[in-house]
Amino acid sequence: MRSSLAIHNTADAGRSSVHVINDRIIIVQVLISLFLCINFLLITVFFMKDFFYTTMRYIFFALTLMSDCVSLILSDFLLILAYFHLSIHMSLCLIVYAAVSLCNLITPVTLTVMALERFVAICMPLRHRELCSTRSALHCILIIHGISALPDMVFLSIFFVSASHSYYTQSSECSVEKFILHTWQGHLRSAISQFYFLIMCIVIMFSYFKIMKVARAASGQNRKLTWKGLRTVVLHGFQLLLCLFLLWCPLIEAAMLQINLMLYINVRYFNYVMFILSPRCLSPLIYGLRDEKFSAALRSFVLCGLYKKQSSKL
């Protein structure tokens, strides 16, 4: 009697845990769909006016939106595969992992460059037009992609040398752990991530203190614009911090897995929402809503020109 009751309780517990996970999956799908719709809307507005795609900060803004869209789609694909325990060929998994890893690094690197752009605009206004031209923006995009791809190139080169040819034809659940064949590979990956974290934090802090110095010395309208630029850098710093916490998530999750499976599932869900989804919703807030020009263009597009007509009448 007791054994049957225990089995019944265990089954109820299993069903309740599956129900909780199902609810979480639905919530994640709703959030991702919402963020993708907002990002696609902002990208559409970006290409509507020449001013946006000829100005460096808006070009970088669009770059973060595009990389965030790719990251959200592919990470959601991996999440669904993991939830339903679906297997894919390791060659396809390798491509997906490389794309996700690249996009996850493009966003924080671009945010760092955007902070430098604000530093040049406020602290070196006479040289801003020269240093932050459209041509310079295109060169910076190439550099951003090169810097972002470097860790993947190192990590995957080691994997290609270590893995056998039969490994690529196998089918398995897709995760980054599948490509760590030696313990020192994980240590190297962690070291590179922490090095990037340190460099980006230094750049953000440098930009912040330089703009702070100018803000204290400014007056009138210049003071107002300078403090607005300073708040933008602070928001970039907060967004960058959330993005870079993602680098430590695998270490935390591995430690939780050794303690308890449900604790691991809860921590992984929290990390996904907090450090993957949350930073991706800050870009639209920083430039989509706070920026007057982009906000006006967005309202005009959403309201199908009604906002512009009302403004002209006033």
Side-chain angles (χ1 to χ4, degrees), residues 176-177 180 248-261 263-265 267-268 271:
V176 65
E177 287 77 14
I180 301 177
W248 280 293
C249 287
L251 300 176
I252 298 173
E253 291 168 6
M256 296 300 103
L257 184 58
Q258 301 297 322
I259 300 173
N260 183 271
L261 178 60
L263 179 61
Y264 164 77
I265 292 174
V267 170
R268 192 171 186 182
N271 289 341

mmCIF file of all heavy atoms in Angstrom, residues 176-177 180 248-261 263-265 267-268 271:
data_model
loop_
_atom_site.group_PDB
_atom_site.id
_atom_site.type_symbol
_atom_site.label_atom_id
_atom_site.label_comp_id
_atom_site.label_asym_id
_atom_site.label_seq_id
_atom_site.Cartn_x
_atom_site.Cartn_y
_atom_site.Cartn_z
ATOM 1 N N VAL A 176 27.166 23.044 -26.028
ATOM 2 C CA VAL A 176 28.575 23.413 -26.167
ATOM 3 C C VAL A 176 29.494 22.372 -25.555
ATOM 4 O O VAL A 176 30.651 22.204 -25.972
ATOM 5 C CB VAL A 176 28.820 24.797 -25.532
ATOM 6 C CG1 VAL A 176 28.594 24.751 -24.022
ATOM 7 C CG2 VAL A 176 30.223 25.305 -25.830
ATOM 8 N N GLU A 177 28.983 21.632 -24.564
ATOM 9 C CA GLU A 177 29.802 20.615 -23.911
ATOM 10 C C GLU A 177 30.244 19.520 -24.884
ATOM 11 O O GLU A 177 31.255 18.853 -24.653
ATOM 12 C CB GLU A 177 29.041 19.991 -22.735
ATOM 13 C CG GLU A 177 28.895 20.884 -21.513
ATOM 14 C CD GLU A 177 27.823 21.949 -21.681
ATOM 15 O OE1 GLU A 177 27.014 21.811 -22.637
ATOM 16 O OE2 GLU A 177 27.794 22.901 -20.887
ATOM 17 N N ILE A 180 33.776 20.234 -26.164
ATOM 18 C CA ILE A 180 34.877 20.298 -25.204
ATOM 19 C C ILE A 180 35.375 18.879 -24.969
ATOM 20 O O ILE A 180 34.815 18.124 -24.175
ATOM 21 C CB ILE A 180 34.429 20.961 -23.880
ATOM 22 C CG1 ILE A 180 33.918 22.371 -24.142
ATOM 23 C CG2 ILE A 180 35.577 20.989 -22.880
ATOM 24 C CD1 ILE A 180 33.394 23.080 -22.916
ATOM 25 N N TRP A 248 29.644 33.454 -17.640
ATOM 26 C CA TRP A 248 29.829 32.628 -16.446
ATOM 27 C C TRP A 248 28.693 31.628 -16.224
ATOM 28 O O TRP A 248 28.784 30.776 -15.348
ATOM 29 C CB TRP A 248 29.971 33.516 -15.213
ATOM 30 C CG TRP A 248 31.343 34.083 -15.056
ATOM 31 C CD1 TRP A 248 32.497 33.418 -14.782
ATOM 32 C CD2 TRP A 248 31.708 35.457 -15.168
ATOM 33 N NE1 TRP A 248 33.565 34.288 -14.719
ATOM 34 C CE2 TRP A 248 33.112 35.540 -14.948
ATOM 35 C CE3 TRP A 248 31.011 36.632 -15.448
ATOM 36 C CZ2 TRP A 248 33.809 36.742 -14.990
ATOM 37 C CZ3 TRP A 248 31.708 37.820 -15.500
ATOM 38 C CH2 TRP A 248 33.084 37.864 -15.268
ATOM 39 N N CYS A 249 27.630 31.749 -17.017
ATOM 40 C CA CYS A 249 26.476 30.867 -16.827
ATOM 41 C C CYS A 249 26.824 29.380 -16.952
ATOM 42 O O CYS A 249 26.364 28.576 -16.130
ATOM 43 C CB CYS A 249 25.362 31.238 -17.808
ATOM 44 S SG CYS A 249 24.520 32.788 -17.374
ATOM 45 N N PRO A 250 27.621 28.958 -17.960
ATOM 46 C CA PRO A 250 27.945 27.524 -18.043
ATOM 47 C C PRO A 250 28.645 26.984 -16.798
ATOM 48 O O PRO A 250 28.393 25.843 -16.374
ATOM 49 C CB PRO A 250 28.862 27.437 -19.271
ATOM 50 C CG PRO A 250 28.474 28.612 -20.105
ATOM 51 C CD PRO A 250 28.137 29.695 -19.127
ATOM 52 N N LEU A 251 29.513 27.793 -16.183
ATOM 53 C CA LEU A 251 30.213 27.356 -14.976
ATOM 54 C C LEU A 251 29.238 27.191 -13.814
ATOM 55 O O LEU A 251 29.309 26.206 -13.060
ATOM 56 C CB LEU A 251 31.305 28.369 -14.620
ATOM 57 C CG LEU A 251 32.398 28.595 -15.670
ATOM 58 C CD1 LEU A 251 33.354 29.698 -15.206
ATOM 59 C CD2 LEU A 251 33.165 27.314 -15.930
ATOM 60 N N ILE A 252 28.321 28.153 -13.679
ATOM 61 C CA ILE A 252 27.328 28.097 -12.598
ATOM 62 C C ILE A 252 26.390 26.910 -12.797
ATOM 63 O O ILE A 252 26.084 26.166 -11.860
ATOM 64 C CB ILE A 252 26.533 29.416 -12.537
ATOM 65 C CG1 ILE A 252 27.473 30.591 -12.221
ATOM 66 C CG2 ILE A 252 25.416 29.328 -11.506
ATOM 67 C CD1 ILE A 252 26.810 31.948 -12.316
ATOM 68 N N GLU A 253 25.951 26.719 -14.040
ATOM 69 C CA GLU A 253 25.009 25.624 -14.325
ATOM 70 C C GLU A 253 25.656 24.264 -14.093
ATOM 71 O O GLU A 253 25.009 23.333 -13.596
ATOM 72 C CB GLU A 253 24.507 25.747 -15.763
ATOM 73 C CG GLU A 253 23.598 26.957 -15.978
ATOM 74 C CD GLU A 253 23.335 27.232 -17.445
ATOM 75 O OE1 GLU A 253 23.773 26.421 -18.287
ATOM 76 O OE2 GLU A 253 22.695 28.258 -17.760
ATOM 77 N N ALA A 254 26.941 24.139 -14.463
ATOM 78 C CA ALA A 254 27.639 22.867 -14.234
ATOM 79 C C ALA A 254 27.732 22.551 -12.747
ATOM 80 O O ALA A 254 27.574 21.400 -12.328
ATOM 81 C CB ALA A 254 29.032 22.928 -14.858
ATOM 82 N N ALA A 255 27.964 23.590 -11.921
ATOM 83 C CA ALA A 255 28.030 23.389 -10.477
ATOM 84 C C ALA A 255 26.661 23.002 -9.911
ATOM 85 O O ALA A 255 26.565 22.127 -9.039
ATOM 86 C CB ALA A 255 28.547 24.661 -9.799
ATOM 87 N N MET A 256 25.589 23.633 -10.420
ATOM 88 C CA MET A 256 24.241 23.312 -9.946
ATOM 89 C C MET A 256 23.834 21.886 -10.333
ATOM 90 O O MET A 256 23.110 21.214 -9.603
ATOM 91 C CB MET A 256 23.219 24.306 -10.518
ATOM 92 C CG MET A 256 23.397 25.747 -10.064
ATOM 93 S SD MET A 256 23.286 25.969 -8.275
ATOM 94 C CE MET A 256 25.036 26.150 -7.846
ATOM 95 N N LEU A 257 24.301 21.424 -11.506
ATOM 96 C CA LEU A 257 23.963 20.077 -11.960
ATOM 97 C C LEU A 257 24.529 19.020 -11.024
ATOM 98 O O LEU A 257 23.934 17.952 -10.838
ATOM 99 C CB LEU A 257 24.490 19.862 -13.382
ATOM 100 C CG LEU A 257 24.153 18.536 -14.056
ATOM 101 C CD1 LEU A 257 22.646 18.343 -14.131
ATOM 102 C CD2 LEU A 257 24.781 18.447 -15.435
ATOM 103 N N GLN A 258 25.667 19.316 -10.393
ATOM 104 C CA GLN A 258 26.270 18.381 -9.451
ATOM 105 C C GLN A 258 25.489 18.297 -8.142
ATOM 106 O O GLN A 258 25.595 17.319 -7.404
ATOM 107 C CB GLN A 258 27.729 18.803 -9.150
ATOM 108 C CG GLN A 258 28.630 18.856 -10.372
ATOM 109 C CD GLN A 258 28.791 17.499 -11.030
ATOM 110 O OE1 GLN A 258 28.869 16.476 -10.348
ATOM 111 N NE2 GLN A 258 28.841 17.478 -12.359
ATOM 112 N N ILE A 259 24.685 19.334 -7.867
ATOM 113 C CA ILE A 259 23.938 19.389 -6.606
ATOM 114 C C ILE A 259 22.556 18.754 -6.749
ATOM 115 O O ILE A 259 22.200 17.829 -6.011
ATOM 116 C CB ILE A 259 23.814 20.847 -6.125
ATOM 117 C CG1 ILE A 259 25.214 21.450 -5.897
ATOM 118 C CG2 ILE A 259 22.976 20.935 -4.857
ATOM 119 C CD1 ILE A 259 25.192 22.933 -5.573
ATOM 120 N N ASN A 260 21.787 19.261 -7.724
ATOM 121 C CA ASN A 260 20.408 18.790 -7.862
ATOM 122 C C ASN A 260 19.916 19.099 -9.275
ATOM 123 O O ASN A 260 20.173 20.187 -9.804
ATOM 124 C CB ASN A 260 19.513 19.491 -6.832
ATOM 125 C CG ASN A 260 18.076 18.995 -6.882
ATOM 126 O OD1 ASN A 260 17.273 19.539 -7.631
ATOM 127 N ND2 ASN A 260 17.766 17.985 -6.093
ATOM 128 N N LEU A 261 19.163 18.138 -9.864
ATOM 129 C CA LEU A 261 18.704 18.305 -11.241
ATOM 130 C C LEU A 261 17.694 19.441 -11.368
ATOM 131 O O LEU A 261 17.784 20.270 -12.277
ATOM 132 C CB LEU A 261 18.093 16.997 -11.755
ATOM 133 C CG LEU A 261 17.531 17.034 -13.183
ATOM 134 C CD1 LEU A 261 18.626 17.387 -14.183
ATOM 135 C CD2 LEU A 261 16.883 15.704 -13.541
ATOM 136 N N LEU A 263 17.294 21.983 -9.376
ATOM 137 C CA LEU A 263 17.992 23.239 -9.131
ATOM 138 C C LEU A 263 18.714 23.691 -10.406
ATOM 139 O O LEU A 263 18.694 24.873 -10.757
ATOM 140 C CB LEU A 263 18.995 23.074 -7.983
ATOM 141 C CG LEU A 263 19.825 24.306 -7.617
ATOM 142 C CD1 LEU A 263 18.917 25.456 -7.163
ATOM 143 C CD2 LEU A 263 20.837 23.974 -6.531
ATOM 144 N N TYR A 264 19.307 22.730 -11.098
ATOM 145 C CA TYR A 264 19.984 23.025 -12.364
ATOM 146 C C TYR A 264 18.998 23.569 -13.390
ATOM 147 O O TYR A 264 19.287 24.566 -14.083
ATOM 148 C CB TYR A 264 20.655 21.756 -12.882
ATOM 149 C CG TYR A 264 21.065 21.803 -14.332
ATOM 150 C CD1 TYR A 264 22.195 22.500 -14.741
ATOM 151 C CD2 TYR A 264 20.304 21.136 -15.311
ATOM 152 C CE1 TYR A 264 22.564 22.537 -16.079
ATOM 153 C CE2 TYR A 264 20.678 21.184 -16.637
ATOM 154 C CZ TYR A 264 21.802 21.872 -17.019
ATOM 155 O OH TYR A 264 22.163 21.906 -18.348
ATOM 156 N N ILE A 265 17.803 22.949 -13.492
ATOM 157 C CA ILE A 265 16.786 23.395 -14.448
ATOM 158 C C ILE A 265 16.314 24.813 -14.109
ATOM 159 O O ILE A 265 16.176 25.669 -14.998
ATOM 160 C CB ILE A 265 15.597 22.411 -14.457
ATOM 161 C CG1 ILE A 265 16.040 21.064 -15.038
ATOM 162 C CG2 ILE A 265 14.429 22.975 -15.260
ATOM 163 C CD1 ILE A 265 14.978 19.982 -14.950
ATOM 164 N N VAL A 267 17.937 27.165 -12.352
ATOM 165 C CA VAL A 267 19.027 28.131 -12.566
ATOM 166 C C VAL A 267 19.225 28.391 -14.058
ATOM 167 O O VAL A 267 19.434 29.534 -14.482
ATOM 168 C CB VAL A 267 20.336 27.626 -11.924
ATOM 169 C CG1 VAL A 267 21.521 28.480 -12.346
ATOM 170 C CG2 VAL A 267 20.206 27.621 -10.404
ATOM 171 N N ARG A 268 19.143 27.324 -14.861
ATOM 172 C CA ARG A 268 19.319 27.496 -16.306
ATOM 173 C C ARG A 268 18.200 28.344 -16.910
ATOM 174 O O ARG A 268 18.453 29.186 -17.787
ATOM 175 C CB ARG A 268 19.357 26.122 -16.980
ATOM 176 C CG ARG A 268 19.827 26.182 -18.423
ATOM 177 C CD ARG A 268 20.058 24.803 -18.990
ATOM 178 N NE ARG A 268 20.646 24.870 -20.307
ATOM 179 C CZ ARG A 268 20.930 23.827 -21.068
ATOM 180 N NH1 ARG A 268 20.688 22.604 -20.598
ATOM 181 N NH2 ARG A 268 21.450 23.974 -22.263
ATOM 182 N N ASN A 271 18.896 31.964 -15.865
ATOM 183 C CA ASN A 271 19.996 32.515 -16.653
ATOM 184 C C ASN A 271 19.547 32.870 -18.062
ATOM 185 O O ASN A 271 19.961 33.896 -18.622
ATOM 186 C CB ASN A 271 21.155 31.522 -16.708
ATOM 187 C CG ASN A 271 21.882 31.394 -15.381
ATOM 188 O OD1 ASN A 271 21.768 32.265 -14.509
ATOM 189 N ND2 ASN A 271 22.624 30.320 -15.210
#
